Amino acid sequence: MVDHVLEVLKSCSLLSGLPEAALREVAPLARVRPFRANEVLYQRGEVQSALSVVGAGNVRIGSTNAEGREIMLTLFEPGAWFGDTVFSPGMPRVFGATAHTDGELVEVPGQDYRALLARYPEAYPRTLDMLSRRLWSAISIIEDNALRDMPGRVGRRLLFLAHMHAPQRGPGPVTFKLTREHIANMMGMTRQGVHGVLKTLEQRGLIRFSYGRITVPDLDALKAYLDERTG
Amino acid sequence: MVDHVLEVLKSCSLLSGLPEAALREVAPLARVRPFRANEVLYQRGEVQSALSVVGAGNVRIGSTNAEGREIMLTLFEPGAWFGDTVFSPGMPRVFGATAHTDGELVEVPGQDYRALLARYPEAYPRTLDMLSRRLWSAISIIEDNALRDMPGRVGRRLLFLAHMHAPQRGPGPVTFKLTREHIANMMGMTRQGVHGVLKTLEQRGLIRFSYGRITVPDLDALKAYLDERTG
DNA sequence: CGCCAACTGTCAAACCGTTGACAGTCTCAG
DNA sequence: CTGAGACTGTCAACGGTTTGACAGTTGGCG
């Protein structure tokens, strides 16, 4: 069991700055939490903090507003981490997490994680780097949303997800398990609006889609198209 | 001169986790860079990294796309820091910086700053906290932009700026030196669109404005209005 | 102290995405 | 293998923003 936890922790980019000995130390403190599709894992506003690493399955990050409208920020795959409030103890979570498929989470209590970092300070630079890259991503999204039209935004977001899911993949198609509604929730659009945009992109051969599934056959082609239609 | 640099560094929240002795060490390595309104300080894409602290004046953070359209992310006042790429050496800057007024910057070379942190590891938790809060802010903006209509976005952004400029101010009016065009550039709107939104907010007594200046007389009233019109 | 450049107010037409509604299609669990 | 539920395609009407254009206002620089 601990072996399994250790494997998950090792797969997490945030923790890869820590020596294996350190990961062995925390592994027994971590909790394995299996989940089923659409289960709510965390809600926006919770104060309790833990570092969560996706061990299996997919997790949607986002939140729901008072009117019941959902906003989805991103979709995480195994190896991804979230719960950035571990770095700001006492802050409420800005977003919630919902299971997108069945899977499991490995949760390291916030204080254990922080204590570990204090004991292995050589891991700090890597940790700062990871956080700063995440900030970089968030700002890119803000820029895209401000400067691009709907097709541009949707395309950029798909590219973003693709890169996140497989940073060093070679050429080849990437498929997401996303409905039109999910995409609408990511972009602040409606299901019908997304429909039109996807149809446009499909006509240009940049994406393909079937029920609940979207495929980008060629990331570079999509990127080239997007770059061309706005600096 | 070094005294002056030291004062600026001490005013910076990012550095307040470092003991004064540490700040005295870096102060001589820092460079003071005066600037005039509208001068370009950094351009998007530059790789060289430095931690910049605003010593005086205001700085616009944002970038310009190939079509010449500008996107503004935020406006920094004295004591604010930027140049998050110091944490990810080699990454290009995601955004540029432009002088909004006359003023001056204090720049600490990236490697000197990183070396300093390594020498005073007790400052790391605070540093992570600051970065994580910045991420929090960015994500809030993404959410607002996805879920709210134009008046909601503009109002929220004004609140955001107000809180950033004076985190622990008591009640009382806050004034920004922003033209309609600046606001339009922050929101991805047009000058004319902003006009309509501001007129609406003004009619409700939530803001006042004159040439190049916007005043929020009562932050709480604005917040209450925004909370009411969307969870 | 006057002029120019920057900022502002306003309008009509065009556009794009939303709203709301309904029928068609696929998938998966039983 | 079959039915219910989830997902999708499409349409017309509506509404808010942009576009483009122009005149009016302000403030600071010379």
Side-chain angles (χ1 to χ4, degrees):
Chain A
M1 199 59 209
V2 167
D3 267 9
H4 176 227
V5 168
L6 192 60
E7 282 313 307
V8 172
L9 295 181
K10 277 162 89 170
S11 74
C12 174
S13 59
L14 180 69
L15 302 173
S16 61
L18 287 160
E20 182 158 341
L23 297 183
R24 282 188 193 283
E25 276 180 49
V26 272
L29 304 173
R31 171 183 162 218
V32 174
R33 179 173 170 192
F35 55 74
R36 321 250 13 199
N38 295 316
E39 183 181 327
V40 174
L41 301 170
Y42 292 107
Q43 283 191 308
R44 183 195 166 110
E46 284 180 28
V47 177
Q48 152 277 129
S49 83
L51 177 67
S52 307
V53 180
V54 181
N58 281 209
V59 174
R60 279 200 300 271
I61 301 295
S63 59
T64 308
N65 77 354
E67 269 136 21
R69 176 150 190 189
E70 190 184 338
I71 159 87
M72 172 179 166
L73 280 168
T74 189
L75 185 66
F76 281 147
E77 295 208 324
W81 56 278
F82 62 92
D84 313 60
T85 53
V86 286
F87 300 117
S88 300
M91 287 276 283
R93 289 178 184 268
V94 233
F95 42 66
T98 308
H100 191 63
T101 64
D102 293 353
E104 77 175 23
L105 232 46
V106 170
E107 298 175 322
V108 180
Q111 59 197 68
D112 294 328
Y113 173 60
R114 289 190 293 270
L116 191 75
L117 279 178
R119 224 169 316 132
Y120 294 90
E122 68 269 29
Y124 276 120
R126 166 98 189 168
T127 311
L128 283 168
D129 181 26
M130 296 312 292
L131 246 192
S132 126
R133 281 166 196 266
R134 196 156 274 194
L135 179 60
W136 188 93
S137 303
I139 289 177
S140 300
I141 289 176
I142 295 176
E143 283 202 43
D144 286 341
N145 287 357
L147 291 176
R148 311 182 94 101
D149 59 7
M150 293 301 182
R153 285 180 221 179
V154 172
R156 293 277 301 177
R157 204 64 158 274
L158 289 175
L159 264 188
F160 172 77
L161 285 179
H163 282 126
M164 214 180 46
H165 286 194
Q168 46 264 359
R169 79 162 48 243
V174 185
T175 297
F176 307 101
K177 189 170 176 267
L178 288 175
T179 68
R180 246 137 268 224
E181 191 145 24
H182 288 136
I183 297 180
N185 288 340
M186 279 203 293
M187 315 306 304
M189 300 170 68
T190 60
R191 186 174 65 74
Q192 297 94 319
V194 171
H195 173 64
V197 169
L198 291 186
K199 211 158 66 170
T200 307
L201 292 175
E202 191 193 33
Q203 278 163 3
R204 294 174 186 269
L206 297 166
I207 62 169
R208 266 175 286 131
F209 51 88
S210 59
Y211 279 67
R213 227 163 283 277
I214 297 198
T215 303
V216 182
D218 182 350
L219 294 183
D220 291 334
L222 179 55
K223 183 171 189 317
Y225 170 71
L226 292 171
D227 285 349
E228 172 200 325
R229 72 197 299 286
T230 295
Chain B
M1 201 57 208
V2 167
D3 267 8
H4 175 228
V5 168
L6 193 59
E7 283 312 308
V8 172
L9 295 180
K10 278 162 87 171
S11 74
C12 173
S13 59
L14 180 69
L15 302 173
S16 61
L18 288 160
E20 181 157 343
L23 297 183
R24 282 188 193 284
E25 276 181 48
V26 271
L29 304 173
R31 169 181 164 221
V32 175
R33 177 171 170 194
F35 54 75
R36 321 250 16 197
N38 296 315
E39 181 181 329
V40 174
L41 301 170
Y42 292 107
Q43 284 192 307
R44 182 192 168 114
E46 284 181 25
V47 176
Q48 150 277 129
S49 84
L51 176 67
S52 306
V53 180
V54 180
N58 282 212
V59 174
R60 281 199 298 271
I61 301 295
S63 59
T64 307
N65 76 355
E67 268 136 23
R69 176 149 189 191
E70 191 184 336
I71 160 84
M72 172 178 166
L73 280 168
T74 190
L75 185 64
F76 280 146
E77 294 208 324
W81 56 277
F82 61 93
D84 313 58
T85 53
V86 285
F87 300 116
S88 300
M91 288 275 283
R93 290 180 183 266
V94 232
F95 43 66
T98 308
H100 191 64
T101 63
D102 292 354
E104 77 174 24
L105 233 46
V106 170
E107 297 174 323
V108 181
Q111 58 196 66
D112 293 328
Y113 173 61
R114 290 190 293 270
L116 191 74
L117 279 178
R119 226 172 311 135
Y120 294 89
E122 69 268 29
Y124 277 119
R126 165 99 190 168
T127 311
L128 283 168
D129 181 27
M130 296 312 293
L131 246 191
S132 128
R133 280 166 196 266
R134 197 157 272 195
L135 179 59
W136 190 93
S137 303
I139 289 176
S140 300
I141 289 177
I142 295 176
E143 282 203 44
D144 286 341
N145 287 355
L147 292 175
R148 293 174 178 273
D149 60 7
M150 292 302 182
R153 285 181 221 179
V154 172
R156 292 278 299 176
R157 203 64 157 269
L158 288 176
L159 264 188
F160 172 77
L161 285 179
H163 282 126
M164 214 182 45
H165 285 196
Q168 47 264 359
R169 79 163 47 243
V174 186
T175 297
F176 306 101
K177 189 170 176 270
L178 288 174
T179 67
R180 245 136 268 226
E181 191 145 25
H182 288 136
I183 297 180
N185 289 339
M186 279 203 294
M187 314 307 303
M189 301 170 68
T190 60
R191 186 173 64 75
Q192 298 94 318
V194 171
H195 173 63
V197 169
L198 291 186
K199 211 158 67 172
T200 307
L201 292 175
E202 190 192 32
Q203 277 163 6
R204 294 175 187 268
L206 296 167
I207 62 169
R208 268 176 284 132
F209 51 86
S210 60
Y211 279 67
R213 226 163 283 276
I214 297 198
T215 302
V216 182
D218 182 350
L219 294 181
D220 292 334
L222 178 55
K223 183 171 189 320
Y225 169 73
L226 293 171
D227 286 349
E228 172 202 325
R229 71 196 301 281
T230 295

